[in-house]
Amino acid sequence: MRLHTLTLSAFGPFAETAEVDFDALAGDGLFLIHGPTGSGKTTVLDAIVFALYGTVPGARNDAGQLRSQFAAPTTPTTVVLDFSARGRRYRIERSPAYERPKQRGSGTVTQRPAVSLLQWDGTAWAGLGRTMNEVQAHVNRALRLNAEQFTKIVLLPQGGFAAFLRAAPQEREPILRRLFDTEHFTAVERVLADSARAARTRMTEVSAGRTALVDRALAVHSEDLPRPAVEHPGVADVDAVLGPSTAICAERRNLAVAGRDLSQAAWERAADAAGAAAERLTARRELTGLRKLEQDYEGGAGDRDRIREQQALARAAGAVLPLHRELRAAERTRDTRTESARAERGRLEAALATLPEVDPDTSWEELAELGRGVAEAARTLRRALERDESLRAAARDCEEAITTQSARLREHAELQQAEARRRTETATALAAEPTVRAALEKERANLRRAAEQLESAELRDRLADRLADARTEVGSRRTDRDRARTDYEDIRRRRITGIAAELSAALEAGAECPVCGSTEHPHPAAADSHSVTREDEERAHSTWESRQAALTAAQDRSTRLEEQHAAARATAGDGSVDDASRARAAAAQQVEALETQTADLDRLRTEADRLATRADALDGEAQRLSTELTRLHARSESLAEQIAELDESEAASAREVLRRTGHAVPESWAAAEEAAATGTALTAAAQAAGRASAAAADAASEVATRQTEYDTALRASPFTSESELLSARNLDPDVLSSQAAQHQALLTRITVMRESAWFPAASRDTAPEEELLSACARAEDAEVRFRERARRAVESLAVAEDRCRDITGLRTTFLDEAAVEEDELGELRADVALAGLVQATSPDNLRRISLSSYALVALFADVAANASERLRVMSRGRYSLVHDDVIHRREKRAGLGLQVVDGFTQERRDPRTLSGGESFMAALALALGLADTVKSTAGGIELDSLFIDEGFGTLDPDTLAEVIGILEELREGGRTVGVISHVQGMQQAIPNQIVLEASPTGSRIRVEIPG
């Protein structure tokens, strides 16, 4: 990954747009970023990380204040970064969330964060994404690094690796896990743990199944056989129960077969005896029934004679009764039609009452025709009357419409005059609009200046309070530093004075003295009560360095606050916050008044447009009203002519027809409608009376014919009168036939029983019935007993056979499946063993380290080896780093320890005992070693840009030269290395520089490239 250009706008201390051309700085491969404290050196690196990942390293990201306090309210905050990765060039633009002034009115609104990613396709920039998730996914794929990894191998933050160097092993583990992404090893552990859990479950299921199989086998025969004593029974353990169980069940089945055969034979003999006794008793009962039927048949002879006589009368009545019914029906029809003819004649006479001139003796056909003529004349007259009435009503409506339309036309003319006056008034009011809008823009500018001055005055007062506190802190930190330096000098002087006692304490009998080389030590120096150790000196030196660092930090904060206070004072002046607040309120009031006037003018402008549109509409409406009035006048004249020309000839003919019949001539269309109804009613009444009279004559003729047929049939029948015929009507032939059939069925049943097989033997059997009943009961009891015995024997055999099949099937199925189960159990045991080894729960894992922890330890050992090579070069061979995999006190696991080896003493030291300069070299070496390892484990990603933000000021000149040499080695292969430092020696050694300049109005960037 290589950076090309970085553009900042209103970001951090940069109020305006600032640009860095990394391609121009890459010529020498090494460049320096320097400037005074608070000028924004670290902000340049923050901007790179923010553009790529939307965050900044460390605690600065928690502050959330990325927008420049020096920027104008209308200047947007953006970061644009051009970079290349994996052979492609990208441009990313990102903006954080910040407060900006509202576009309308006062106050602020939150500007939402935004991002966009472009890719150069050789001719133009093409968009790749505009959402946070989409852009971040593209960036992570292109760089193959997340934010945590990027700030560890591309951008080395200030103080970050010094803390990592001094961290405890348990504190390093979560950092290394995020950095190296050992989740795939953890995933393997989870997969193997799940497999082992499933394997144990399956093994338990198999063992439970085998135990249940043994229990089932023992329950089949209830014999006391020995059970398997192991937790997971094997094939032999289970078959030791199933084999004997199979033999026991087979023997019991054979005994049940023999018992069933004996019981079946005894039952068959008893059943035969019971059947013979039952048949003898049944024959006796059948014979008794036969004798009873014979007696019943002899007693029914008289009833059979009566049935035959009644059947003859019923047949004769069946021939005469239909003629009698037809005669009575014809008489009823005749009476009904005669009454109907009389009623229709009455209705005809009522219809003729309205026509006094018509002769009542006229035929029905002539009367019907007369009625049709009256109806037609009345309808003709009705149409003429309706036409006249319609024309006169239309004429009246037309006159009313002319009056209404004339009134509307006058009202419309008055409305047009009023609208013209309103348009003139609106145009006069809008003439002042340009003046009002110009005044509004001027007052808005005044309001913005007043708001900026108020904000600066408030910031100036806040910074004044913070500056006073910072100056007090600087004095306190300086006093603490001086006291710590005095203590350190005193302890060092006392240690030098007592160095002989310190050396003598390490002497051993027979060992050479490190001073004189003698193996004899006759007068070793003794320590007094004021002696100090090397640890006391190092502790005092560390205290002095920490307090010096605290003083430097306090001075930096005080300097930044002084710069910010001066910038705020330059903007706000010496006026008070209250004065600035009152000036802003007055400007806001003036703007509000002018905005109200402007809103009124906008409403007038809208009203003027509406009045112009309405004027056109009113003109069109006036034209339409005039046209409609002209049309109404023409319509009125036409209706008058139609009324005058109405033809009366057809109506006169109709009136003459009505006068000839004596009907009153109608004068309205309703009366004409009634006359038409009268004619229609006359026609209908005449036709109905004619039809009714003809029907009555036909019915009288039909009655005479039916009477002759009935009298002839009655004389030929056995009946002497109509009453005898009607009495025979109650005889039902079906009932008589049914009674005769019952007598015949009884005779048939008697005949069949006499011809049955049991009749001869039953006739000869003279034994009493009580004896037969007793013998039958004894035989049935014996059959029931033997049948129950046979049933129990069959059930016992079925149970024995089921148990034999069950136990044989269980054993066969078990032996068939056992081989497959044993293979599966072998694989399951291997899964459990492998999971225990990977999860460090197996005794075979001697170091008790899980797979993911082992991978992390191996990677950290590689980090320590790479860092040690860097540190030996920086320290000119004195120091190196070694990986410590021993568990120390208060440590839960081994493998992530780190120690420093001092080449002068060949002793191992805790990194926390190093001095400031030594700590910086070790931290830088560790950072570079970590970057080398991460690069190799990330698939050999190319890192063409590297930034280092560390404390080079703690190094002496010689060590600084060695470190610069290391940095120069890093640029091999085309890599560009950027270093942040304010050390003078770095400025002289590195010619290509990014210089940052601080001012009360914000920082600026200047790029210096010699030649």
Side-chain angles (χ1 to χ4, degrees), residues 903-951:
F904 290 178
T905 63
Q906 299 302 318
E907 292 182 357
R908 294 189 175 191
R909 299 168 53 186
D910 192 313
R912 288 174 287 190
T913 64
L914 295 174
S915 65
E918 294 168 343
S919 293
F920 167 71
M921 288 191 298
L924 180 60
L926 183 60
L928 297 176
L930 189 62
D932 292 339
T933 302
V934 171
K935 175 182 176 182
S936 62
T937 57
I941 60 174
E942 294 298 328
L943 302 176
D944 297 323
S945 298
L946 181 66
F947 295 88
I948 302 174
D949 185 6
E950 282 288 351

Side-chain angles (χ1 to χ4, degrees), residues 278-292:
E279 289 177 358
R280 184 180 179 190
L281 179 61
T282 300
R284 171 61 58 86
R285 289 175 177 173
E286 290 289 339
L287 181 62
T288 302
L290 175 61
R291 298 294 183 243
K292 176 66 171 59

